[in-house]
Amino acid sequence: MASRPEKNRSRVQMLPSHHQIPRTLLSQMTVELVVQELSKRGSSKAREGMSRFGIRTSKALGVSIPQIRDLARKIGTNHELAQQLWITGIHEARILASMVDDPAKVSEDQMEKWALEFDSWDVVDGCCGNLFDKTGFAIRKAHEWSKRKEEFVKRAGFVLIAELAVHDKKASNQTFLDFLPATVREASDERNFVKKAVNWAVRQIGKRNSVLNSAAIKTCAEIRNSGSGSAKWIAADALRELTSSSVRKKLAKIKIYGRIKSSSAGSNCHSIRILS
């Protein structure tokens, strides 16, 4: 007959496997228990893979983004837990913090504090794409951070620009036209994580609509003329995508969709799904 569990067995030991943990339990978990869950999902093989992609793994557990995202869905939004996760300094815990934090409760001071502690490009991208771009400070911080000297803070400025170009559907063209001079100004920064972010920002702005596409292509000419190796790479790579047939087709659909949406406003027309 199997022995009964010891009465002094800890709560952590009594937890079921992560595949069985109900959302109601995860939403109430302490930071210690969340870290336990992350640790269960980590692997040395994944850490090795992260390292090959230039991710700093000294404080990493080796947990994949899909696994972190799954845990975030079960936890839900939890601003207080996000703060505690960030303080652990654990790589995946910080990415998870960006996924479960509440953009409405994020302060500008918090954004500055986290930015100063960025130590890996994927944490930068996670914070900007999961959280910071949804705050009321995003546009201002993008302008400010793009001028900063710290490699990962500067990267954050341009990643924010790229994420805003994708996610902020209500932002005006002028918002993004105002960002383009920063890409020219910083295109000569030879640091790998900066130049890739500048390139990303130019490409995402240029794929937003035909007006911004023309402006981004013109900006690429300015960037290329600055003469540095970094600038030439940024311009050439961005132009390759912005002038491609696939982007041209996408922009044509956006333009047609805008016209259909405008002409059908206030009517009972249901035909605008033709472009989906």
Side-chain angles (χ1 to χ4, degrees), residues 57-90:
T57 58
S58 59
K59 297 181 180 179
L61 301 171
V63 186
S64 70
I65 292 298
Q67 288 178 307
I68 299 173
R69 193 173 290 121
D70 175 66
L71 191 53
R73 280 195 294 266
K74 292 173 180 175
I75 292 172
T77 303
N78 192 324
H79 177 65
E80 290 71 26
L81 179 60
Q83 308 312 299
Q84 296 168 22
L85 287 168
W86 185 268
I87 291 171
T88 67
I90 298 170

Side-chain angles (χ1 to χ4, degrees), residues 112-123:
E112 279 293 335
K113 180 179 181 298
W114 286 21
L116 287 173
E117 295 179 12
F118 285 153
D119 61 357
S120 190
W121 66 264
D122 60 328
V123 175

Side-chain angles (χ1 to χ4, degrees), residues 116-141:
L116 287 173
E117 295 179 12
F118 285 153
D119 61 357
S120 190
W121 66 264
D122 60 328
V123 175
V124 175
D125 296 4
C127 286
C128 291
N130 297 325
L131 182 64
F132 290 169
D133 67 327
K134 300 170 183 64
T135 70
F137 312 106
I139 293 174
R140 181 165 74 250
K141 301 315 290 184

Side-chain angles (χ1 to χ4, degrees), residues 56-213:
R56 295 187 181 181
T57 58
S58 59
K59 297 181 180 179
L61 301 171
V63 186
S64 70
I65 292 298
Q67 288 178 307
I68 299 173
R69 193 173 290 121
D70 175 66
L71 191 53
R73 280 195 294 266
K74 292 173 180 175
I75 292 172
T77 303
N78 192 324
H79 177 65
E80 290 71 26
L81 179 60
Q83 308 312 299
Q84 296 168 22
L85 287 168
W86 185 268
I87 291 171
T88 67
I90 298 170
H91 187 85
E92 291 87 350
R94 287 189 160 183
I95 294 176
L96 179 59
S98 75
M99 293 180 181
V100 303
D101 206 346
D102 184 350
K105 294 182 179 180
V106 172
S107 68
E108 192 168 0
D109 286 343
Q110 177 186 328
M111 292 175 70
E112 279 293 335
K113 180 179 181 298
W114 286 21
L116 287 173
E117 295 179 12
F118 285 153
D119 61 357
S120 190
W121 66 264
D122 60 328
V123 175
V124 175
D125 296 4
C127 286
C128 291
N130 297 325
L131 182 64
F132 290 169
D133 67 327
K134 300 170 183 64
T135 70
F137 312 106
I139 293 174
R140 181 165 74 250
K141 301 315 290 184
H143 280 292
E144 290 178 7
W145 288 347
S146 72
K147 300 175 184 176
R148 294 276 285 273
K149 299 297 183 183
E150 306 96 320
E151 181 176 13
F152 290 119
V153 179
K154 188 182 290 290
R155 178 182 175 87
F158 288 101
V159 173
L160 261 182
I161 293 171
E163 295 288 3
L164 285 167
V166 174
H167 298 144
D168 192 344
K169 305 302 183 183
K170 296 181 180 180
S172 67
N173 282 350
Q174 191 59 51
T175 296
F176 298 100
L177 292 172
D178 290 343
F179 281 134
L180 287 174
T183 66
V184 179
R185 185 188 69 232
E186 305 298 337
S188 295
D189 192 319
E190 298 288 344
R191 292 176 293 182
N192 190 48
F193 295 126
V194 173
K195 73 178 184 180
K196 287 189 174 182
V198 173
N199 170 269
W200 187 10
V202 174
R203 288 187 292 110
Q204 292 306 137
I205 290 174
K207 290 189 290 183
R208 192 172 166 90
N209 58 50
S210 58
V211 171
L212 291 173
N213 180 263

Side-chain angles (χ1 to χ4, degrees), residues 16-49:
S17 70
H18 66 264
H19 296 293
Q20 300 172 339
I21 296 177
R23 179 168 182 166
T24 52
L25 175 57
L26 276 173
S27 65
Q28 299 169 13
M29 287 177 75
T30 64
V31 64
E32 292 81 10
L33 293 179
V34 174
V35 170
Q36 285 277 348
E37 280 302 306
L38 285 170
S39 297
K40 288 179 186 178
R41 301 165 192 235
S43 74
S44 57
K45 184 177 180 180
R47 287 186 66 206
E48 291 172 4

